[in-house]
Amino acid sequence: MLKNVKYPLLLSLGLSVSPVAMADVNEALANICTIVQADDKGELRKKMRMVESDYRMKLKDYYSGVSCGGNSLIRTAALNNAIETGTLLVKKMPRGDLSAPEADGKTIQAWLTEQGLQDSPLAAVIHERM
């Protein structure tokens, strides 16, 4: 009988905590776009470590969910000539995720070529990593 009471109680507690945790992750990542745009590698590294330690999420876990004016973090770094933060993001992403199409169906390399940024230092880092 006690098992029948504990399980629904634990299940309801687990469901009530999840939305709060997701809200906290969103708050923790709120200013990541401005950090990337400012090319503040130290602050970005600190933010990534904090999210990893507090929420056990690596960059690949939240990368697709972050949009900076419609662009991904690496695209934002490329548009703002943020070489330091862009390089850090590229090195932290798995190779398979770098070559995968993003939300608009274009890979990062195809998007860089389309934007005329294929000769940028960040494009060279991406090409080297793949």
Side-chain angles (χ1 to χ4, degrees):
M1 173 94 174
L2 190 55
K3 288 180 186 177
N4 293 338
V5 173
K6 284 184 182 179
Y7 184 71
L9 180 64
L10 290 175
L11 183 61
S12 66
L13 286 175
L15 293 175
S16 66
V17 173
S18 295
V20 174
M22 288 304 289
D24 291 341
V25 171
N26 290 336
E27 289 175 17
L29 294 172
N31 67 340
I32 198 165
C33 293
T34 56
I35 292 170
V36 170
Q37 290 170 347
D39 201 18
D40 191 349
K41 182 180 176 181
E43 191 64 30
L44 179 62
R45 187 183 307 274
K46 188 185 333 178
K47 176 73 68 178
M48 290 169 63
R49 283 185 191 148
M50 188 266 306
V51 169
E52 186 173 346
S53 68
D54 291 353
Y55 305 102
R56 295 184 181 175
M57 294 178 73
K58 294 200 177 270
L59 178 63
K60 66 179 184 169
D61 299 328
Y62 57 85
Y63 179 81
S64 62
V66 176
S67 177
C68 305
N71 291 313
S72 67
L73 292 172
I74 294 175
R75 289 180 180 187
T76 300
L79 287 172
N80 291 289
N81 202 26
I83 306 305
E84 295 291 320
T85 57
T87 301
L88 177 64
L89 291 167
V90 168
K91 288 182 178 180
K92 292 287 185 177
M93 285 292 290
R95 285 188 174 114
D97 291 352
L98 282 175
S99 60
E102 292 194 359
D104 62 355
K106 298 176 188 167
T107 63
I108 294 173
Q109 287 184 321
W111 181 85
L112 287 169
T113 303
E114 182 181 284
Q115 298 294 316
L117 299 170
Q118 68 273 9
D119 295 329
S120 72
L122 189 56
V125 171
I126 293 169
H127 181 70
E128 179 182 305
R129 177 95 166 111
M130 297 174 87

